[in-house]
Amino acid sequence: THYEIVSGECARGVQDVQERSMEDGKAELDITCAGTSQALAAELSTKKFQGYSVKVKKVTGSTIHVELK
């Protein structure tokens, strides 16, 4: 699930994940993490996940846009 992608087990520094919305195959999550959004995006883009891939599309301020395939 999308929670597995950003959970503390899969990405260092993640403390909490809350779903804000989910519609038309898109989820918006609030993520509390100890590091910066750039550091989280870098980790997500290099991490290997079983059954899907994560592509970081855009990072701006405190927002990360990713695509799951």
Side-chain angles (χ1 to χ4, degrees):
T1 68
H2 50 271
Y3 294 117
E4 292 172 342
I5 296 166
V6 292
S7 72
E9 297 168 5
C10 291
R12 290 173 290 182
V14 172
Q15 299 164 341
D16 188 38
V17 179
Q18 298 294 318
E19 183 178 302
R20 293 184 88 198
S21 66
M22 186 163 202
E23 184 177 335
D24 294 327
K26 295 182 182 182
E28 186 173 339
L29 307 175
D30 279 337
I31 301 168
T32 303
C33 67
T36 65
S37 56
Q38 290 82 7
L40 178 57
E43 183 160 354
L44 291 173
S45 68
T46 58
K47 190 99 174 158
K48 301 295 183 205
F49 297 96
Q50 187 173 349
Y52 54 88
S53 63
V54 175
K55 181 176 182 182
V56 175
K57 304 286 278 183
K58 182 177 171 182
V59 180
T60 57
S62 62
T63 303
I64 304 171
H65 296 265
V66 299
E67 180 179 359
L68 306 180
K69 293 184 176 184

